[in-house]
Amino acid sequence: MTDLPVITHWIDGAPFDGTSTRSAPVFNPALGAVAKHVRLAGAVDVDTAVASAQAAYPGWRDTSQARRQGVMFTFRELLNARKGELADILTAEHGKVTADALGEIARGLEVVEFALGMPHLTKGEYSENVSTGVDVYTLRQPLGVVGIISPFNFPAMVPLWFFPIAIAAGNTVVLKPSEKDPSASNWMAALMTEAGLPAGVLNVVHGDKEAVDALLVHPDVQAISFVGSTPIAKYIYETAAHHGKRVQALGGAKNHMLVLPDADLDLAADAAVNAGFGSAGERCMAISVVVAVEPVADELVAKITERLKGLRVGDGMRGCDMGPLITKAHRDKVASYIDVARTDGAEVVVDGRGIEVDGDASGFWLGPTLFDRVGTDSDVYLDEIFGPVLSIVRVGSYTEGLTLINRSRYGNGTAIFTNDGGAARRFQNEVQVGMVGINVPIPVPVAYHSFGGWKDSLFGDAKAYGPAGIAFYTREKAITSRWLDPSHGGINLGFPQNA
């Protein structure tokens, strides 16, 4: 490694170098240059993190709910007060513009605030006198050590979807963030420590597949939460489940936005641009396909094209609308779909290559890109491109558009734009997708509902945060209790009966 800063792990409440000598570069995507290095954990380092979490678990599990809530309240206040620091970290390592970074943190804060209600959310039920002198009641108890594996595109929000709920419920955590933008996780772990979290309750290990695999098979890890691409989500689910763990594995997407002829096309065009190009399209809830029901496609394409002319692409610290992509390799892969589109007969309306940017020429830039008349057999339509590329598919009717969406292997998010309440109601009933927007392009549920898709967008039964998150990070115990009157006694070997 060079003289650049080195990001270490965070174990047992403090920075931890680990034993592995492997490392990876961390880029500033707006400069196209290595800004830091991050240590990559080996299996021994993962063992150390899990051991720390395992040792901390009994004490944290038995800590009063009042004390646990006090830590979470303090963390919420610290995070809200210092969110600007975290936003700068996100912009420097991911590339997203400052406004988008602050929006990401705000959505994560919602989950922290949801977790503040944990004493109410984990209350059990009580049935008195189910039989003479017999009561039955239920408890919701934590699991133990849980693992979280989070992606590069939301280095603050996705960890915040998971660890506040897990910790508030009494679990301890080992978090493995993306090695592409790892600093946010260390920053949040340090903030949790400042808020009073005991050492070992939240640990961060950085790494690649070696660290992931070590978590998936570790006998002391009770559950795994994951967000990422579909192939990896499937691998995570199959491997962790095979080793007896609970798994919530959220995968990829190809989100469609159906625009009916009666829609407000200005609203639809604004939505398509916002949802397609925010965060440079590196969102699992980005709209990547606009399904235009004729005869509105020409007008809609014109309106989207006009809006793209006004977008300012550049360094996220400079108040631009859209920043760079995460790495050069990813930028080049996304850009390659422009040639694929032409080869497959689509019309390249806006080519994002070679644009003028407000930033260093070496940054990983690709401007907003728009394709029209995309064929549904093209890789442009079929693949999750995960970049600032929006495709227009033209259809002749609502039914044709619905069939197209339902035929997709993905089922993460979708939206319909219409002024017809009957059509909207029919769509929400018939579409085979887990999250649906009606005149809302990115239908991410608020924190007290749960996030997750259908089909190849979710493996396992557990969605993220909300009621599903509470159920995932706790397990129910039913207790049947009888306190005998001192005068009562005797032996009865018959099968117990209600009386």
Side-chain angles (χ1 to χ4, degrees), residues 294-464:
E294 295 290 22
V296 302
D298 285 344
E299 184 179 358
L300 183 60
V301 169
K303 288 179 179 293
I304 293 172
T305 303
E306 188 62 30
R307 284 158 171 77
L308 295 187
K309 294 176 183 177
L311 293 185
R312 186 168 153 229
V313 179
D315 193 318
M317 298 287 192
R318 301 185 186 181
C320 296
D321 299 301
M322 194 183 93
L325 276 74
I326 185 71
T327 64
K328 181 180 184 298
H330 185 57
R331 188 273 315 276
D332 292 347
K333 180 181 178 182
V334 173
S336 71
Y337 283 94
I338 299 173
D339 292 329
V340 172
R342 281 204 173 96
T343 299
D344 290 349
E347 177 186 349
V348 179
V349 181
V350 179
D351 187 332
R353 297 174 295 191
I355 61 165
E356 183 177 342
V357 299
D358 184 3
D360 192 285
S362 298
F364 306 138
W365 310 111
L366 181 67
T369 297
L370 179 63
F371 303 143
D372 189 14
R373 303 180 189 277
V374 174
T376 57
D377 58 347
S378 171
D379 287 343
V380 169
Y381 173 77
L382 296 171
D383 294 351
E384 183 185 25
I385 297 175
F386 219 64
V389 175
L390 184 64
S391 297
I392 308 293
V393 176
R394 298 175 179 232
V395 296
S397 67
Y398 163 88
T399 300
E400 185 182 346
L402 176 73
T403 300
L404 187 72
I405 297 169
N406 285 346
R407 203 165 55 217
S408 173
R409 62 181 287 217
Y410 299 108
N412 210 42
T414 190
I416 185 171
F417 277 72
T418 179
N419 284 313
D420 185 334
R425 193 171 188 278
R426 179 181 171 187
F427 183 76
Q428 73 180 33
N429 180 56
E430 296 178 338
V431 74
Q432 296 172 18
V433 174
M435 293 172 283
V436 180
I438 298 173
N439 297 316
V440 174
I442 306 179
V444 175
V446 292
Y448 38 90
H449 290 268
S450 298
F451 178 102
W454 290 7
K455 298 185 281 190
D456 277 2
S457 294
L458 177 69
F459 296 87
D461 295 326
K463 292 187 174 187

Side-chain angles (χ1 to χ4, degrees), residues 3 8 49 75 80 107 117 126-127 129 199 232 234 244 356 394 400 429-430 452 463 479 487:
D3 294 332
T8 63
F75 174 69
N80 189 51
R107 295 308 298 264
Y126 198 105
S127 296
N129 223 37
I232 305 302
K234 188 172 186 290
E356 183 177 342
R394 298 175 179 232
E400 185 182 346
N429 180 56
E430 296 178 338
K463 292 187 174 187
I479 299 167
S487 65

